[in-house]
Amino acid sequence: MRALVAAAIGLAAALALVFTLSAVGSPPGETSPKPLLTTVPGPKQ
């Protein structure tokens, strides 16, 4: 029974955190126009 209560408390805390972050929203700003490198650049030819 204690495990069930602990799981319910943990789930409620996680949901509260998710709802709080979604209510706050993303910070203002814009993304960089330069793409991120996904591979290591090779030697220049």
Side-chain angles (χ1 to χ4, degrees):
M1 186 68 177
R2 274 191 274 174
L4 186 61
V5 171
I9 291 172
L11 181 61
L15 285 176
L17 180 65
V18 168
F19 286 139
T20 302
L21 290 177
S22 63
V24 170
S26 60
E30 50 189 51
T31 59
S32 172
K34 295 182 178 178
L36 296 174
L37 293 176
T38 56
T39 59
V40 177
K44 305 240 179 199
Q45 296 184 6

